[in-house]
């Protein structure tokens, strides 16, 4: 009985059962590590904060913050106006101003409500006994509809899933080259418009320029979808699995959208900012609440992902463009008929 290619390379059922039994717990362990580890180890790590005022008055405040070893990266400012400008430019998450009446805390809860609360606790926990309450001014407040930032943080996973779905569908539907790139960019544009309509117009989670927010959402999805489809173009179906691992299992929990990248254990915060979900959430904060301050870095990261992904899609499409058939698909040449070298018998008379 001839052995067909299918039967020759078929995986025994016992091995498939073993693969399922091993791979599912392994994926569960990776997912649990990726999501639970950052969430249970959240603490300030070199969190940028400012101290403003005359040197003699500001020194005790700086010492109070420095007593939290490794927690804060302290920036000095001459006065309250300079500290406010630093908050509005996203240089620091908060600032303590030395005034004749005592310390005055400036926060920017739009950058992270969790950090604003953390700074308030850090400043009051080491205050001298009997000291009056520290007044707090929220220079850039979070939207009233999302004062705790939960809506903003919850927006990362849907964007990640939308981008992964777009990249996988484009890849598995057989689209190649320019058509695949058009599908990726078109889907990203529609997701951006839909996301802005929901998050800004309906929920009130975003409060900046509507079209700029839609553009950020579209760029984020384009970076994710382009990355997944590009990995598929280079690696085949394994590329989609790698894309899911990078975007969903690492990019989403390492994004820092629910707090701040500096609250995540190292190097999770740094890794997250090099992946589209983290870069997208940072860029969206800048555009939605800070008039585009500190937007260049995350915009560059997203652009690189999108451009490299689309480039891989286009070049893979050209490589597989219809033309001469591949060598593997050509029919095997038939063996030549044997030639009988013996002379033909003479005809009978």
């Amino acid at each position: 009985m001839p052995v067909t290619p299918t039967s020759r390379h078929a995986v025994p059922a016992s091995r498939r059962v073993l693969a399922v039994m091993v791979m599912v717990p392994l994926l569960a362990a990776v997912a649990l590590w990726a999501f639970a580890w950052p969430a249970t180890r959240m603490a300030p790590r070199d969190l940028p904060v400012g101290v403003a005022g005359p040197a003699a008055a500001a020194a005790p405040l700086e010492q109070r913050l420095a007593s939290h070893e490794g927690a804060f990266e302290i920036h000095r400012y001459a006065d309250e106006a300079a500290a406010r400008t630093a908050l509005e430019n996203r240089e620091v998450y908060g600032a303590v101003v030395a005034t004749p009446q005592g310390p005055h805390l400036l926060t920017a809860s739009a950058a992270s409500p969790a950090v604003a609360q953390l700074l308030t606790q850090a400043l009051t926990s080491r205050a001298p006994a009997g000291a009056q309450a520290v007044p707090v001014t929220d220079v850039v407040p979070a939207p009233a509809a999302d004062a705790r930032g939960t809506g903003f943080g919850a927006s990362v996973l849907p964007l990640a899933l939308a981008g992964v779905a777009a990249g996988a569908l484009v890849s598995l539907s057989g689209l190649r080259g320019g058509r695949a790139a058009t599908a990726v960019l078109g889907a990203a544009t529609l997701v951006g418009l839909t996301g802005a309509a929901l998050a800004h117009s309906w929920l009130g989670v975003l409060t900046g320029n509507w079209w700029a927010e839609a553009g950020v959402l579209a760029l984020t999805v384009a970076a994710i979808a382009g990355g997944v489809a590009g990995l598929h173009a280079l690696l085949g179906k394994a590329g989609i699995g790698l894309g899911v691992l990078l975007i969903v299992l690492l990019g989403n929990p390492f994004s820092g959208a629910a707090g701040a990248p500096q609250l995540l254990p190292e190097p999770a915060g740094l890794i997250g900012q090099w992946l589209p979900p983290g870069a997208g959430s940072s860029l969206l904060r800048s555009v939605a609440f800070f008039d585009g301050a500190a937007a260049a870095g995350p915009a560059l990261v997203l652009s690189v992902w999108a451009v490299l992904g689309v480039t891989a899609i286009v070049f893979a499409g050209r490589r597989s463009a219809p033309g001469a058939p591949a060598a593997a698909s050509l029919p095997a040449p038939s063996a030549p008929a044997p030639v009988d070298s013996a002379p033909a018998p003479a005809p009978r008379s």
Side-chain angles (χ1 to χ4, degrees):
M1 176 180 178
V3 179
T4 64
T6 302
S7 61
R8 183 169 58 237
H9 299 291
V11 179
S14 58
R15 292 188 180 181
R16 283 178 279 166
V17 171
L18 182 61
V20 172
M21 293 175 61
V22 172
M23 290 302 297
V24 171
L26 181 61
L27 289 174
V30 171
L32 183 62
W33 165 80
F35 282 83
W37 173 56
T40 56
R41 297 292 187 272
M42 290 187 69
R45 296 170 177 85
D46 294 325
L47 189 75
V49 297
V51 175
L61 299 177
E62 188 170 344
Q63 293 174 0
R64 189 184 304 179
L65 292 173
S67 65
H68 300 268
E69 187 175 354
F72 302 111
E73 178 186 281
I74 301 174
H75 298 247
R76 288 285 286 114
Y77 298 102
D79 51 28
E80 180 176 342
R84 285 176 174 268
T85 301
L87 263 74
E88 293 168 352
N89 291 336
R90 299 202 70 185
E91 296 175 9
V92 293
Y93 283 91
V96 187
V97 182
T99 69
Q101 294 77 28
H104 179 197
L105 177 61
L106 305 178
T107 62
S109 60
S112 172
V115 170
Q117 182 179 4
L118 181 150
L119 290 176
T120 303
Q121 294 174 349
L123 192 63
T124 57
S125 64
R126 301 295 178 94
Q132 63 180 4
V134 177
V136 179
T137 300
D138 200 347
V139 177
V140 188
D146 190 30
R148 296 183 179 180
T150 53
F152 186 95
S155 66
V156 176
L157 182 57
L159 288 177
L161 294 178
V164 169
L169 288 174
V170 166
S171 301
L172 299 179
S173 63
L175 294 175
R176 297 292 181 268
R179 291 183 178 179
T182 300
V184 165
L185 298 178
T189 300
L190 292 177
V191 171
L193 295 173
T194 303
L198 294 174
H200 183 119
S201 303
W202 180 39
L203 298 175
V205 173
L206 306 177
T207 58
N209 181 275
W210 195 96
W211 290 104
E213 293 165 355
V216 172
L217 295 172
L219 179 59
T220 303
V221 175
I224 296 172
V228 171
L231 288 172
H232 174 268
L234 297 174
L235 305 176
K237 291 184 179 179
I240 297 178
L242 179 59
V244 172
L245 174 66
L246 290 174
I247 301 301
V248 178
L249 292 185
L250 292 182
N252 182 49
F254 289 5
S255 67
Q262 292 84 357
L263 297 183
L264 300 177
E266 298 178 352
L270 178 62
I271 294 173
Q273 294 307 297
W274 286 98
L275 296 174
S281 62
S282 294
L283 181 58
L284 188 60
R285 278 195 192 278
S286 293
V287 169
F289 310 127
F290 294 89
D291 294 327
L300 178 61
V301 171
L302 292 175
S303 299
V304 168
W305 272 86
V307 169
L308 291 181
V310 171
T311 301
I313 295 170
V314 172
F315 273 90
R318 290 181 179 179
R319 188 175 57 197
S320 60
S329 63
L330 292 174
S334 58
V339 178
D340 191 356
S341 59
R348 295 181 180 181
S349 57

